[in-house]
Amino acid sequence: RPGSTFRRAARDNPPGCLLDPSLGTHCYVRIKDSGLRFHYVAAGERGKPLMLLLHGFPEFWYSWRHQLREFKSEYRVVALDLRGYGETDAPSHKEYYKLDCLITDIKDILESLGYNKCVLVGHDWGGMIAWLVAICYPETVTKLIVVNFPHPSVFTEYILRHPSQLIKSGYYFFFQMPWFPEFMFTLNDFKILKNLFTSQATGIGRKGCRLTAEDIEAYLYVFSQPGALTGPINHYRNIFSCLPLQHHEVVMPTLLLWGERDAFMEVEMAEMTRIYVKNHFRLTILSEASHWLQQDQPDIVNKLIWTFLKEETTRKRE
């Protein structure tokens, strides 16, 4: 019915979970070259090694809440709102969301934070960006951790040969349309957004760490702000701008974590990624986990990341 289809709840104030001091401090940094102001949440002492967290779609810094709490004991943990997301500036034209711009953002933010290298962690679209930063600026990444996204070359090669993955990635093509994808997300008070995290087909599974009502409200609050969907979708409107890649090799130790019940990415791509990593490569596939892995199985994910970080430290000492 039209009354419910076009109804939207008023969301003027952020839910309390977004202001939880245990997650860290809300900070802003303006990048000199682009002039854009980025928002991030930082936990852990300044001066500790940097762990930079890049979220996916449709997410924002809050998707890393479990990791902000976990790794602040030994790292300066920074969960970023990517260009166009949340409280980070959102240029109006889609040309400003080319992959080259997104990669440069990460390098510039690293320098603005006073670091020249980091442990780089990315999930989903943030995983794509993390792979590309590691390939283009290897000197800035000491260790690479990617969650549920294959090496970009694997993705482009696989999708061309496997119609099943092409269908799962159909939203990439839907997002090429102007304004209509944003409109569809708003229907029934952002029902599509809710369903992505909660439905049986795409959401966090029965054995996962379900999102609370307040968690879901946090996502609805951020993406219901005026124009808040256009920046994120503009990322996808430029996905064909720098693929295929000219350079492929990843030279730093790499951990790839994968939820096997991912509704959007076929698990076969995870193992194929191995050929592009010219250093220590560890792959762990979690059979009961969904696409939203670091929110779905945070305890296991955190343990696997700690093991990987300590393992490489020990190996270097030897």
Side-chain angles (χ1 to χ4, degrees), residues 240-261:
F240 307 110
S241 65
C242 82
L243 298 174
L245 299 174
Q246 292 181 323
H247 305 288
H248 305 272
E249 290 189 355
V250 176
V251 297
M252 68 287 301
T254 301
L255 172 66
L256 179 58
L257 301 176
W258 203 282
E260 194 170 14
R261 294 181 181 269

Side-chain angles (χ1 to χ4, degrees), residues 225-244:
Q225 301 306 307
L229 283 159
T230 299
I233 293 175
N234 275 342
H235 282 242
Y236 291 90
R237 291 179 173 133
N238 284 283
I239 190 170
F240 307 110
S241 65
C242 82
L243 298 174

Side-chain angles (χ1 to χ4, degrees), residues 163-285:
S164 55
Q165 181 59 54
L166 192 64
I167 291 167
K168 288 180 178 179
S169 300
Y171 63 97
Y172 282 34
F173 302 97
F174 174 61
F175 285 169
Q176 303 310 307
M177 299 171 65
W179 72 263
F180 190 63
E182 289 94 318
F183 170 72
M184 290 299 292
F185 264 92
T186 66
L187 297 179
N188 289 306
D189 196 30
F190 297 88
K191 187 175 182 179
I192 290 176
L193 185 64
K194 295 177 202 169
N195 284 349
L196 282 171
F197 295 108
T198 60
S199 74
Q200 194 167 352
T202 63
I204 292 173
R206 227 169 9 96
K207 297 186 178 180
C209 184
R210 300 291 186 92
L211 270 63
T212 66
E214 193 176 34
D215 291 337
I216 293 169
E217 194 55 37
Y219 282 95
L220 297 178
Y221 168 78
V222 165
F223 287 104
S224 66
Q225 301 306 307
L229 283 159
T230 299
I233 293 175
N234 275 342
H235 282 242
Y236 291 90
R237 291 179 173 133
N238 284 283
I239 190 170
F240 307 110
S241 65
C242 82
L243 298 174
L245 299 174
Q246 292 181 323
H247 305 288
H248 305 272
E249 290 189 355
V250 176
V251 297
M252 68 287 301
T254 301
L255 172 66
L256 179 58
L257 301 176
W258 203 282
E260 194 170 14
R261 294 181 181 269
D262 191 324
F264 309 102
M265 294 280 171
E266 295 190 352
V267 69
E268 288 77 12
M269 291 187 286
E271 183 60 43
M272 294 167 65
T273 290
R274 186 182 301 273
I275 63 171
Y276 290 104
V277 181
K278 307 304 178 184
N279 202 313
H280 174 65
F281 177 74
R282 179 177 288 277
L283 167 64
T284 301
I285 298 170

Side-chain angles (χ1 to χ4, degrees), residues 306-318:
W306 274 126
T307 300
F308 172 71
L309 295 173
K310 300 290 187 184
E311 173 185 60
E312 290 307 309
T313 302
T314 304
R315 181 171 296 189
K316 280 186 177 179
R317 283 174 183 166
E318 291 171 357

